[in-house]
Amino acid sequence: MEPPDDVPAVGLSGTTIAAVSLSIGDMIRGISALFSVVLLTAALTSPPADACTSMLVAKGATTDGGTLITYNADAHELYGELYYTPAGRHRPGAQRDIIEWDTGKHLGRIPQAPATYTVVGNMNEHQLTIAESTFTGRKELEAPAGIVDYGSLIYITLGRAKTAREAITVMTSLVAEHGYASTGESFSIADPNEVWLMEMIGKGAGNKGAVWVARRLPEGHLAAHANHARIRQFPLDEPDTTLYSPDVISFARDRGWYSGADKDFSFADTYNPLDFEAQRFSEARVWSIYRRAAPSLGLGPEYADGSAPARRLPLWIKPDRKLSVQDAMALMRDHFEGTPLDLSKDVGAGPYALPYRWRPLTWVVDGKTYLNERAISTQQTGFTFVAQMRAWLPDPVGGVLWFGVDDTAMTVYTPMYAGIRAVPRNFAQGVADRGTFSWDSSFWVFNWVANQAYARWSDIVVDVQKEQRALEGGFFAGQAEVEKTAVEKYRRSPAAARKYLTEYSVKQGEKVHARWRRLGEQLLVKYIDGNVRDDDGKVNHPKHTESWYRTIVRDTGKRLEVPQAPPVVTPAVKPAPKPRPVGDPRRG
């Protein structure tokens, strides 16, 4: 029987895994028997991820000698789930439907590849990983003629490419042949050896294809992007480090957007000119990664606050020290702490120093426009990951997608190996959606905990981080032994190694889900109705900080002031007469 052109994502419990053969052919047949839906069902309900942050770390800048990519998929309508597509073989003439990731709209069909690779989230079985952030770009270039949107471009490519360079070829060939259907995008593309940043934008209404440029990070460096194009000038004759579309400069000349020498051409300044909001909302996130990874550079807030638009951050930097996976996670949990943009410091943070602001980002009072800061860690994250890629290990073992749902500061990054053949059901597609709460969905359980924390941040975050450190710390403490066992199994039987890693990853996902649900229950008991119950069960009523009480006084004036009681006046009392002795003639 021929496998279907598109096969569904699957989430299995640990008990189910033991009953399912993990060879590719059997897995596909098992999935077909278990589910009647197709992968397109998930795509139809996948809403926009148009406000994201991504970091890229090249070899020489990591403690383990591998490469890293991070990604926060941020959108208020995005349901966080772990996409999974098994490898497949497709009959001649098979077609693949293109469903726009942001809207669920059917855009068209393209020829299916004869064979496709297994994809776990944004990493495939060869450790290739792709992430993105949308920069939109010039309004004149919106609504280009094409059928391949940026989301489809990522997941199609992960099914067809083994390396970062091959991915760039696949992506640019797809948009050249079938046309691009999105606005400007920055793509993080990495394999265990090379890390590339590619920026692409369509050619506007009625025009097919796209202009683009891709640059390979130098060893020992890191870069980041956050909804604004970042590649400015680039070498024109270094194919080992820089690739670009043949018309990337001439197209701009024809439109009248550039007239200088080719060597001075800036992709970002031409196709996505920097303005105040781009610097404050987008470059500020890049700055916060750079300032923490390389304090020695002395990058001040003027690179982020919009006060000095001429100050431009470099495309990449060399960190002061090599980064571990844990360091990468910490960088993605940033709220501008310790800077003038620190979200926890002004009155908007409330009495519990909340480092979040609800939308809109800008608002008007008395005819003047004001803003809320846009930090890396934000409440509207659907899913997030740190991709760890290592060349000296077999691909199924070397690639780890540390996956989490919801807000990065509140999530638990859980190891999902590149070689797995199923994902935990609590992370899987189809368990729930953005409009329906489910206790079986980690997205909803983590949001339940996070929304409790937002109400009393400075207190509850302590409890959350304690559990977060315990779970993630346990994963890292056991990682070497897990991988040693997996490599030993791989030498004897690759299928046995994949089965072992699948069972391990599913078990960890289930453990995280169960522990987080229990944490939510404990938090409700501990902090119910504004009280705080201590470890002995005693209910306490802690005061706010002195600064918050002063804020209330400044805002309310005399309205809440308790009037001082007048002094109590005690009337004078005459002393009682002394008793007279017995026999005193005055008695009687």
Side-chain angles (χ1 to χ4, degrees):
M1 172 178 159
E2 283 284 334
D5 295 338
D6 295 286
V7 289
V10 60
L12 300 178
S13 68
T15 54
T16 305
I17 288 172
V20 179
S21 166
L22 291 173
S23 70
I24 294 176
D26 286 348
M27 176 60 80
I28 292 174
R29 286 190 289 274
I31 293 166
S32 299
L34 286 168
F35 298 95
S36 60
V37 297
V38 294
L39 182 61
L40 297 178
T41 304
L44 284 169
T45 57
S46 294
D50 57 359
C52 310
T53 307
S54 180
M55 180 177 69
L56 313 86
V57 189
K59 290 175 68 174
T62 61
T63 56
D64 65 7
T67 61
L68 297 171
I69 280 182
T70 70
Y71 180 47
N72 290 357
D74 302 336
H76 293 274
E77 296 300 320
L78 179 64
Y79 173 77
E81 56 195 348
L82 182 58
Y83 310 139
Y84 176 76
T85 310
R89 295 186 180 278
H90 311 285
R91 58 185 174 268
Q95 297 281 301
R96 176 192 172 111
D97 289 279
I98 304 298
I99 307 298
E100 188 171 30
W101 194 37
D102 282 357
T103 65
K105 178 182 177 182
H106 185 272
L107 300 180
R109 307 188 86 198
I110 66 171
Q112 179 61 282
T116 52
Y117 307 124
T118 297
V119 180
V120 180
N122 287 54
M123 176 185 285
N124 75 11
E125 62 182 285
H126 301 289
Q127 304 189 60
L128 173 67
T129 304
I130 307 176
E132 58 77 36
S133 73
T134 301
F135 63 78
T136 304
R138 284 184 174 273
K139 192 168 183 61
E140 303 97 313
L141 299 181
E142 293 181 4
I147 64 170
V148 183
D149 67 293
Y150 76 94
S152 298
L153 199 57
I154 290 173
Y155 297 108
I156 292 171
T157 301
L158 287 169
R160 299 185 179 192
K162 292 183 177 181
T163 68
R165 283 179 183 267
E166 187 180 356
I168 293 169
T169 299
V170 171
M171 295 171 83
T172 57
S173 297
L174 283 169
V175 299
E177 182 176 358
H178 304 288
Y180 190 48
S182 297
T183 57
E185 286 288 330
S186 299
F187 295 98
S188 299
I189 308 170
D191 60 38
N193 295 301
E194 293 189 344
V195 179
W196 289 75
L197 170 62
M198 181 171 73
E199 296 190 324
M200 174 183 291
I201 191 167
K203 296 183 176 181
N207 297 307
K208 190 177 178 181
V211 290
W212 56 272
V213 60
R215 301 210 61 190
R216 179 168 64 86
L217 269 65
E219 287 200 6
H221 288 70
L222 67 83
H225 55 90
N227 307 123
H228 193 267
R230 304 215 62 250
I231 299 176
R232 301 181 71 200
Q233 286 78 21
F234 53 90
L236 303 175
D237 55 357
E238 293 183 14
D240 187 52
T241 67
T242 306
L243 303 169
Y244 53 91
S245 59
D247 59 347
V248 67
I249 300 175
S250 60
F251 181 79
R253 290 188 188 280
D254 293 343
R255 292 297 185 98
W257 298 331
Y258 185 70
S259 59
D262 284 1
K263 66 179 180 62
D264 298 324
F265 177 77
S266 166
F267 182 92
D269 294 325
T270 302
Y271 293 115
N272 188 206
L274 186 74
D275 58 17
F276 173 83
E277 289 192 0
Q279 192 169 29
R280 189 65 172 255
F281 298 146
S282 299
E283 286 291 276
R285 283 175 273 159
V286 176
W287 164 75
S288 206
I289 288 174
Y290 286 8
R291 73 175 177 89
R292 295 178 64 192
S296 63
L297 294 178
L299 299 173
E302 67 274 10
Y303 285 91
D305 62 14
S307 63
R311 293 287 186 95
R312 304 294 291 273
L313 293 166
L315 180 58
W316 46 58
I317 63 166
K318 188 165 186 168
D320 287 357
R321 61 179 178 82
K322 295 180 179 183
L323 302 183
S324 66
V325 173
Q326 297 97 311
D327 293 329
M329 293 173 180
L331 288 171
M332 300 306 286
R333 287 170 165 153
D334 183 77
H335 307 100
F336 299 122
E337 285 90 348
T339 79
L341 279 61
D342 191 335
L343 282 147
S344 68
K345 297 303 182 184
D346 61 66
V347 67
Y352 298 107
L354 179 68
Y356 299 90
R357 299 293 182 274
W358 315 141
R359 294 301 182 260
L361 271 176
T362 59
W363 34 280
V364 177
V365 173
D366 296 334
K368 293 183 179 181
T369 301
Y370 298 86
L371 60 84
N372 290 318
E373 306 295 355
R374 169 54 163 100
I376 295 169
S377 188
T378 182
Q379 66 272 11
Q380 73 265 21
T381 300
F383 67 86
T384 176
F385 67 74
V386 175
Q388 180 183 18
M389 295 151 281
R390 295 161 293 174
W392 63 92
L393 290 168
D395 286 331
V397 187
V400 189
L401 192 80
W402 295 87
F403 180 81
V405 290
D406 194 34
D407 176 358
T408 56
M410 306 292 287
T411 200
V412 173
Y413 285 104
T414 308
M416 298 288 122
Y417 279 86
I420 64 177
R421 292 295 183 256
V423 301
R425 185 174 183 274
N426 47 286
F427 288 152
Q429 294 162 258
V431 174
D433 57 41
R434 184 79 188 196
T436 308
F437 182 89
S438 171
W439 286 117
D440 297 326
S441 161
S442 287
F443 172 82
W444 279 114
V445 168
F446 272 80
N447 270 279
W448 173 52
V449 170
N451 278 269
Q452 289 190 63
Y454 296 151
R456 195 173 185 132
W457 177 262
S458 56
D459 289 338
I460 295 181
V461 72
V462 176
D463 297 272
V464 170
Q465 288 177 344
K466 179 181 177 181
E467 296 301 323
Q468 188 183 65
R469 285 192 297 268
L471 285 164
E472 291 178 353
F475 298 148
F476 287 115
Q479 185 178 8
E481 187 61 31
V482 167
E483 292 173 357
K484 178 183 176 183
T485 301
V487 170
E488 291 171 351
K489 289 180 177 292
Y490 186 86
R491 288 171 181 157
R492 296 192 299 269
S493 167
R498 287 191 288 268
K499 182 177 185 294
Y500 168 75
L501 290 171
T502 301
E503 292 172 346
Y504 172 77
S505 292
V506 168
K507 182 178 180 181
Q508 305 322 304
E510 291 174 341
K511 179 170 70 175
V512 165
H513 182 83
R515 184 65 195 96
W516 225 246
R517 180 169 174 176
R518 191 158 67 251
L519 173 62
E521 295 165 352
Q522 293 167 340
L523 291 175
L524 183 59
V525 171
K526 181 175 181 178
Y527 294 101
I528 191 169
D529 296 336
N531 305 316
V532 179
R533 187 183 299 270
D534 63 24
D535 293 340
D536 296 325
K538 180 183 177 182
V539 174
N540 301 289
H541 310 289
K543 294 181 178 180
H544 292 311
T545 62
E546 179 73 15
S547 63
W548 182 249
Y549 284 126
R550 290 186 180 279
T551 298
I552 295 173
V553 170
R554 286 195 300 269
D555 185 63
T556 60
K558 295 285 187 180
R559 183 169 62 86
L560 301 180
E561 183 178 342
V562 177
Q564 292 184 352
V568 177
V569 178
T570 303
V573 179
K574 292 182 179 180
K578 294 180 179 180
R580 293 175 181 170
V582 177
D584 189 322
R586 290 173 294 179
R587 292 178 65 90

